[in-house]
Amino acid sequence: MNLILDGLLLGLTLAILLGPIFVALTQTGIQRGVRAGLSVGTGIWISDILVIVTAYFFIKEIDEIAQNKSFHQWMGWIGGLILIIFGIISLVKKPKLDEKIPAFNAKSYAGYLTKGFAVNFFNPFTFVFWISVMTTYVIGKKIDGPDATLLFGSIMFTIIVTDSLKVVLAKLIRKKLTHNHIILFGKLAGIILITFGVILILRTNVWN
């Protein structure tokens, strides 16, 4: 029970952070609808699960890599550039001025999923967070097997639920927005993503 509570608290901690993931989810939800927003969320969740599984089975090696300055530098630069690119796209691209959500197909699904995966996976904070949890619980508290599954399952459950709620709430907000509001939000989201990207690159240089 304690592991479930720990997992819920850790998941909620991630949920309330107003970072690039939050911006990517809400922006897509407002401009492209629930399915597109959940596609971005799916990419985020897949990247989290990939990091969790990799870190769990190769924790010593991954921990050494995550602490390596070159790793932080490369991930910081790549992550920062990805955020800046998505930010520029948000600034330049104008959403269609109609109430109809664009058609959703396999191509758009793959694109939104890739966006979510890239924004999350190439963020050094993702690795730092999961490695910290692994170090604290798997190594520090010696949890293994079913207990580890319970802990990380609780964290992912919380993340998936809260991310989904963000997308749904974004859709509800969209109904009350005018075309100008949607355009303004897209530009604001672009500026925020670019800002996060620049900060990430600058912090990477500070770390190194």
Side-chain angles (χ1 to χ4, degrees):
M1 189 64 184
N2 288 334
L3 288 175
I4 294 178
L5 291 175
D6 287 349
L8 293 175
L9 289 174
L10 287 168
L12 287 173
T13 299
L14 282 179
I16 62 176
L17 293 177
L18 298 178
I21 294 173
F22 175 85
V23 175
L25 280 170
T26 54
Q27 180 197 13
T28 307
I30 287 175
Q31 293 188 350
R32 299 302 185 212
V34 172
R35 284 185 294 179
L38 291 179
S39 297
V40 172
T42 301
I44 293 170
W45 308 330
I46 290 174
S47 65
D48 275 331
I49 293 172
L50 178 62
V51 175
I52 291 171
V53 173
T54 304
Y56 182 77
F57 287 105
F58 303 98
I59 188 166
K60 290 184 179 180
E61 290 80 0
I62 292 296
D63 187 49
E64 291 177 1
I65 293 173
Q67 299 302 325
N68 187 281
K69 290 183 178 180
S70 296
F71 173 83
H72 278 293
Q73 187 172 27
W74 280 105
M75 292 296 287
W77 273 93
I78 294 173
L81 288 174
I82 287 174
L83 292 178
I84 290 172
I85 290 171
F86 281 130
I88 292 174
I89 292 174
S90 295
L91 280 174
V92 174
K93 188 175 181 180
K94 294 182 179 180
K96 294 179 181 179
L97 300 181
D98 54 27
E99 296 296 329
K100 190 176 180 181
I101 296 294
F104 195 80
N105 51 44
K107 183 178 179 181
S108 59
Y109 173 85
Y112 293 130
L113 189 146
T114 301
K115 176 181 179 179
F117 185 94
V119 168
N120 192 54
F121 187 81
F122 291 104
N123 184 353
F125 175 77
T126 300
F127 282 85
V128 171
F129 173 80
W130 290 116
I131 290 297
S132 298
V133 175
M134 287 285 177
T135 303
T136 301
Y137 287 90
V138 176
I139 295 180
K141 297 186 178 182
K142 306 295 182 183
I143 71 166
D144 199 0
D147 287 340
T149 302
L150 196 62
L151 173 68
F152 293 108
S154 299
I155 297 174
M156 286 306 304
F157 172 79
T158 307
I159 291 173
I160 291 172
V161 170
T162 53
D163 283 352
S164 299
L165 287 175
K166 291 172 188 175
V167 174
V168 172
L169 289 174
K171 180 189 176 183
L172 295 177
I173 292 173
R174 183 185 187 279
K175 293 180 179 179
K176 298 183 179 181
L177 297 179
T178 65
H179 299 314
N180 289 334
H181 288 150
I182 294 175
I183 293 174
L184 180 62
F185 183 84
K187 293 186 180 299
L188 181 62
I191 293 172
I192 293 174
L193 288 174
I194 292 172
T195 302
F196 277 124
V198 172
I199 291 174
L200 185 55
I201 291 174
L202 291 176
R203 283 183 176 176
T204 299
N205 291 331
V206 171
W207 287 339
N208 292 280

